[in-house]
Amino acid sequence: MTHLLVTGGAGFIGANFVHYWRQHHPDDAITVLDALTYAGNRANLDGLDGVTFIHGDIRDTELVESLLKGGIDTIVHFAAESHVDRSIHGPAAFVDTNVLGTLSLLTAAQRTWLAGSGTPHRFHHVSTDEVYGSLGPDDPAFSETTPYAPNSPYSASKAASDHLVRAWHHTYGLQVTTSNCSNNYGPYQFPEKLIPLFLINALHGRNLPIYGDGGQVRDWLHVEDHCRGIEACLLKGRVGETYNIGGGAELPNMTVIDTLCAAVDAAFRADPSLAARFPDAPAARGQPSNSLKTTVTDRPGHDRRYAIDETKARAELGYAPARSFDEGFAQTLAWYLANEGWWRAVMDGSYRDWVATNYTR
Ligand code: NAD
Ligand code: TYD
């Protein structure tokens, strides 16, 4: 049996991964280590048996060491500050968590797993395609050999953490793999990222703030496909290697936003109860949601295009995204409409009171 330590397992992708792993590997033990920042939500793990939750910080090296000594043989490292806009306004937190936090985990893993004759183990690091920088319209997609050229404080901090992980393999022999994935979307995503923010704004009749001309391109990856990609790295990935994981859905922001608006309009037409639940939505009055589109000042240093060449993951891991964007987006919209209580509590922070009374370290 494997015992996984999932850092950041109460965040968006980490929580989806814990749900996925529980379902597909029910005999494995899972410990989640999460500091429950604004982006972490204990309730994302509700309904799961056999998951031990530790409210703690990855920068607490002694805590991590003590957890690893309890028989953990695999780390899946998601914990991070993850939002580019926040990194522009407060970069220091990104260096603290993403760089020093990763250093702390590597140090704990080195001390525990590499001591004496060593223990079989794996350290899987979850990173981003943003480390490769920005592509022109006709440039080839990012491959694993594309030189790093991070442009935001967020991507620079993730690039630094990727380099540390690589160095711990080459210098100390830590058994690492890294995945660099594209923009995720799906259930449990904090409503600061494009898709959940715009969905919830459309339901409330609030503007949809489009940065610049909306022509930036991202490769949209449904979070469950990402979880499958990480699973493939853990089960089939070669130690010391990196793998790019994409969604096969390269789309300009404006296309994503138009798809979102049309899907909200269609949902209101199909279900009259939505107009009563969300009376401020234009769709409640038969108006198009895209009337809320508003162009705002562009994000400083905004990367124009990301695209993933997943040839290596396909060939070595047998990875391919299973969901088209239309299918994944429909599932995501249905989830947000069915889980209004979740996003309201996340947005007003009220779940924290519940965490404080129910969970202590
Ligand atoms: P998120 O912001 O939703 O969640 C981050 C989680 O980490 C939260 O639960 C938070 O409480 C926890 N955390 C933060 N600092 C911590 C600390 N010091 N100690 C312990 N826990 C801490 O992020 P996400 O979108 O789920 O991203 C997960 C990982 O995937 C990140 O490493 C991110 O860089 C990477 N990634 C995300 C995307 C995306 O589209 N969301 C794309 C590529 C890569
Ligand atoms: P985001 O979800 O923040 O992911 P990332 O910056 O990591 O790609 O943004 C996705 C795209 O949407 C990006 O090009 C920025 C753009 N965007 C807006 O136009 N308006 C917004 O309010 C947000 C949050 C993002």
Side-chain angles (χ1 to χ4, degrees):
M1 185 180 84
T2 296
H3 186 167
L4 280 75
L5 177 67
V6 181
T7 73
F12 162 48
I13 307 174
N16 276 284
F17 179 80
V18 173
H19 281 272
Y20 179 91
W21 201 268
R22 200 86 233 113
Q23 191 186 342
H24 292 87
H25 305 271
D27 294 337
D28 289 352
I30 301 178
T31 297
V32 168
L33 173 62
D34 198 296
L36 297 179
T37 67
Y38 80 94
N41 185 348
R42 180 64 184 82
N44 292 359
L45 301 171
D46 276 356
L48 287 174
D49 294 327
V51 176
T52 304
F53 182 80
I54 307 290
H55 184 193
D57 197 311
I58 55 168
R59 291 168 297 177
D60 184 345
T61 313
E62 283 177 18
L63 167 65
V64 178
E65 258 186 277
S66 73
L67 294 174
L68 295 183
K69 281 180 184 141
I72 286 164
D73 54 15
T74 304
I75 293 176
V76 190
H77 176 32
F78 295 94
E81 290 292 338
S82 69
H83 191 41
V84 173
D85 291 325
R86 285 179 188 257
S87 82
I88 293 167
H89 299 293
F94 285 70
V95 174
D96 278 351
T97 294
N98 300 357
V99 185
L100 299 180
T102 302
L103 172 66
S104 165
L105 286 178
L106 290 166
T107 304
Q110 177 187 3
R111 284 186 192 152
T112 313
W113 287 336
L114 300 181
S117 53
T119 313
H121 65 271
R122 174 70 69 85
F123 186 115
H124 183 77
H125 177 56
V126 179
S127 191
T128 170
D129 60 358
E130 302 191 25
V131 298
Y132 299 119
S134 184
L135 294 169
D138 300 321
D139 288 341
F142 302 132
S143 77
E144 290 77 0
T145 53
T146 302
Y148 273 33
N151 289 320
S152 71
Y154 163 67
S155 54
S157 68
K158 292 297 291 187
S161 68
D162 294 8
H163 292 323
L164 289 175
V165 171
R166 175 187 162 90
W168 256 247
H169 172 64
H170 282 270
T171 304
Y172 305 111
L174 199 68
Q175 307 286 288
V176 307
T177 40
T178 295
S179 48
N180 295 83
C181 71
S182 53
N183 285 59
N184 284 221
Y185 67 98
Y188 299 111
Q189 187 166 32
F190 191 85
E192 64 184 351
K193 306 272 168 47
L194 180 74
I195 287 181
L197 175 72
F198 277 34
L199 261 182
I200 292 169
N201 279 8
L203 296 177
H204 289 96
R206 294 185 203 127
N207 284 341
L208 308 179
I210 300 164
Y211 298 159
D213 64 1
Q216 301 82 8
V217 173
R218 301 291 184 263
D219 173 3
W220 292 93
L221 169 64
H222 189 273
V223 65
E224 194 176 310
D225 279 331
H226 185 196
C227 294
R228 291 174 45 253
I230 295 170
E231 176 189 46
C233 289
L234 287 169
L235 300 180
K236 300 180 202 159
R238 281 185 295 136
V239 164
E241 293 294 319
T242 68
Y243 296 93
N244 286 354
I245 310 283
E250 219 190 297
L251 297 169
N253 288 347
M254 204 61 94
T255 303
V256 171
I257 294 161
D258 286 337
T259 302
L260 182 153
C261 289
V264 169
D265 295 349
F268 274 69
R269 282 196 298 275
D271 178 357
S273 74
L274 291 177
R277 282 171 62 194
F278 304 107
D280 296 327
R285 301 183 297 281
Q287 303 292 316
S289 299
N290 69 15
S291 58
L292 298 170
K293 288 198 300 193
T294 311
T295 302
V296 299
T297 308
D298 206 353
R299 172 191 278 171
H302 198 171
D303 285 339
R304 191 68 184 170
R305 174 175 167 241
Y306 304 140
I308 291 258
D309 175 349
E310 61 199 21
T311 308
K312 181 177 176 185
R314 222 174 256 273
E316 288 193 19
L317 309 177
Y319 168 78
R323 282 185 206 246
S324 67
F325 182 73
D326 285 347
E327 192 188 339
F329 181 77
Q331 184 262 2
T332 303
L333 172 61
W335 189 89
Y336 276 85
L337 289 175
N339 290 278
E340 184 182 346
W342 178 88
W343 49 262
R344 287 203 186 282
V346 164
M347 290 171 84
D348 72 16
S350 59
Y351 77 91
R352 282 168 201 285
D353 302 336
W354 178 83
V355 168
T357 46
N358 289 279
Y359 292 91
T360 47
R361 203 174 109 202

